């Protein structure tokens, strides 16, 4: 509340939670009370049937009165539309918004205890470096080898845990991202996949998913876990752009030491992750969209920005 969202006593906060995350929401509300800030609290099961088909009107109306919002919810299948409607309000009103999808006790005790000023210093250095680059190459011992050609018309954004009106952020924080011009190559996903598939499949360390990307489109996906392979392929063929790389990101939360099987924290793990689907065009400047967005995370990266190596075996070569 004090560092990431910088809530002020005179501000109003909309807190959105569900029954599975009520204990975490309770701790957040306690901190708001200590600050003296006013808040409204919504437990989703008390205002609308799950899974949500859209953002409940009562929540939307309350957000129109707040400067800050928090979403601490265990999401269900096919609820992405409701979250996109929520962030549309956040973007339009320039709210400071903490997106804590599938937050749990482990993440509160690990990723949320990061020194976010330190993470922000590194994130700023990485953003400044990549924002003027032409190409990023990434490789791992597991077999990843791909290149991203960058579009100078697309913006890089920093979500380092210090949330501002310019860009809402996931918590835990720690990444810089853009919509790529084009990605080509092979990505061995030995971390996690995102959205509701994350809970189903968890860590992929024992059965990675290998994807091939050509001209920014997913062309193949293979895994010994055939259920994962099938579910991922189906997800990334929901609409005409679901198989398109919409996000290219570098995780910068150097306080994280291992992948835990939860996308909310694992996408901030130092290294590369990409997302197939929506490119967050209102922020990146990309002129296309998708109804889906699924992150994929790998580990143990070597990363080169143009000719400069900035990461070796998953460790940054630039200081925070």
């Amino acid at each position: 509340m004090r560092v990431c969202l910088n809530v002020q006593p005179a501000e109003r906060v909309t807190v959105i939670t569900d029954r599975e995350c009520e204990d975490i929401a309770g701790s957040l509300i306690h901190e708001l009370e200590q600050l003296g800030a006013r808040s409204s609290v919504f437990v989703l099961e008390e205002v609308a049937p799950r899974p949500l088909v859209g953002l409940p009107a009562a929540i939307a109306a309350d957000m129109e009165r707040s400067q800050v919002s928090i979403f601490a919810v265990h999401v269900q299948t096919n609820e992405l539309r409701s979250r996109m409607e929520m962030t549309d309000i956040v973007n339009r009103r320039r709210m400071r918004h903490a997106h804590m999808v599938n937050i749990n006790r482990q993440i509160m005790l690990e990723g949320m205890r990061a020194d976010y000023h330190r993470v922000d210093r590194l994130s700023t250095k990485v953003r400044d470096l990549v924002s003027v680059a032409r190409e990023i190459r990434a490789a791992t011992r597991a077999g990843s080898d791909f290149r991203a050609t960058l579009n100078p018309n697309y913006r890089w954004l920093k979500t380092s845990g210090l949330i501002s009106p310019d860009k809402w952020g996931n918590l835990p924080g720690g990444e810089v991202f853009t919509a790529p011009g084009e990605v080509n190559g092979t990505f061995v996903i030995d971390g996690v996949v995102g959205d509701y598939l994350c809970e189903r499949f968890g860590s992929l360390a024992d059965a990675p998913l290998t994807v091939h990307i050509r001209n920014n489109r997913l062309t193949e996906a293979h895994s010994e876990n055939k259920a994962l392979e099938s579910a991922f392929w189906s997800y990334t063929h929901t609409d005409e752009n679901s198989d398109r790389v919409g996000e290219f990101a570098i995780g910068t939360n150097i306080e994280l030491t291992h992948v835990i099987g939860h996308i909310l924290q694992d996408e901030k793990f130092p290294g590369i992750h990409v997302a197939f689907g929506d490119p967050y065009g209102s922020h990146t400047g990309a002129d296309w969209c998708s109804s889906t967005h699924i992150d994929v995370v790998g580990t143990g990266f070597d990363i080169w920005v143009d000719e400069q190596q900035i990461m070796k075996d998953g460790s940054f070569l630039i200081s925070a």
Side-chain angles (χ1 to χ4, degrees):
M1 295 304 165
R2 294 167 175 80
V3 176
C4 297
L5 284 169
N6 191 27
V7 176
Q8 300 301 305
E11 291 185 310
R12 193 174 184 283
V13 183
T14 301
V15 180
I16 306 161
T17 189
D18 64 359
R19 291 187 181 126
E20 291 198 49
C21 297
E22 273 189 289
D23 58 336
I24 292 171
S27 69
L28 301 177
I29 293 162
H30 174 76
E31 292 301 318
L32 286 173
E33 291 172 348
Q34 295 298 305
L35 283 167
R38 294 169 297 154
S39 64
S40 294
V41 183
F42 295 90
V43 179
L44 288 180
E45 289 84 355
E46 296 177 1
V47 295
R50 305 284 304 274
L52 298 177
V53 296
L55 184 66
I59 296 176
D62 196 81
M63 291 179 67
E64 295 289 347
R65 302 163 53 208
S66 295
Q67 293 77 45
V68 180
S69 55
I70 302 168
F71 185 77
V73 170
H74 191 98
V75 299
Q76 298 184 14
T77 303
N78 297 325
E79 290 190 329
L80 182 61
R81 176 185 171 187
S82 64
R83 300 197 297 278
M84 294 176 85
E85 291 175 356
M86 176 180 62
T87 55
D88 283 345
I89 296 174
V90 169
N91 293 337
R92 173 172 52 79
R93 299 198 63 245
R94 303 188 77 245
M95 300 173 70
R96 304 195 306 284
H97 173 75
H99 209 57
M100 306 174 78
V101 173
N102 294 339
I103 189 73
N104 62 20
R105 181 178 178 83
Q106 180 182 12
I107 296 172
M108 292 296 291
L109 294 175
E110 293 181 7
M112 285 307 300
R113 285 186 170 175
D115 178 347
Y116 280 111
H117 292 295
R118 182 168 179 251
V119 172
D120 183 68
R121 288 194 298 271
L122 175 65
S123 302
T124 300
K125 288 184 178 180
V126 173
R127 183 200 58 194
D128 292 348
L129 187 64
V130 297
S131 63
V132 294
R134 299 180 303 276
E135 180 183 80
I136 297 175
R137 182 192 165 212
T140 68
R141 294 181 183 180
S144 293
D145 193 349
F146 55 90
R147 296 174 184 267
T149 303
L150 304 175
N151 185 332
N153 295 320
Y154 292 167
R155 294 180 292 275
W156 280 91
L157 293 104
K158 174 187 69 171
T159 57
S160 62
L162 304 185
I163 296 170
S164 76
D166 296 325
K167 176 67 180 77
W168 59 267
N170 290 324
L171 289 180
E175 67 174 315
V176 295
F177 72 92
T178 190
E182 187 174 296
V183 176
N184 290 281
T186 299
F187 194 155
V188 179
I189 304 157
D190 55 0
V192 292
V193 296
D195 205 357
Y196 57 85
L197 297 186
C198 186
E199 181 181 14
R200 180 177 174 188
F201 297 106
S203 172
L204 306 187
D206 294 331
L209 175 68
T210 299
V211 299
H212 299 282
I213 305 166
R214 182 181 302 166
N215 299 328
N216 221 46
R217 297 276 184 172
L218 175 70
T219 59
E220 298 178 47
H222 304 288
S223 175
E224 293 180 3
N225 185 336
K226 295 304 176 184
L228 166 64
E229 180 182 307
S230 176
F232 181 79
W233 190 259
S234 177
Y235 187 107
T236 52
H237 289 81
T238 302
D239 64 37
E240 64 180 354
N241 283 323
S242 293
D243 66 346
R244 190 172 178 178
V245 181
E247 177 186 355
F248 187 91
I250 299 176
T252 56
N253 192 326
I254 45 180
E255 306 278 354
L256 302 179
T257 60
H258 58 285
V259 170
I260 65 171
H262 290 276
I263 191 64
L264 177 65
Q265 178 164 300
D266 291 339
E267 67 176 358
K268 315 311 186 312
F269 187 77
I272 295 282
H273 68 272
V274 305
F276 295 94
D278 195 75
Y280 298 140
S282 62
H283 296 295
T284 63
D287 59 358
W288 55 276
C289 62
S290 172
S291 63
T292 62
H293 182 96
I294 187 165
D295 296 276
V296 297
V297 179
T299 64
F301 275 100
D302 295 338
I303 302 173
W304 294 265
V305 177
D306 290 332
E307 300 302 321
Q308 179 182 350
Q309 187 170 8
I310 67 166
M311 177 174 284
K312 183 175 178 59
D313 293 330
S315 295
F316 278 102
L317 302 178
I318 52 181
S319 66

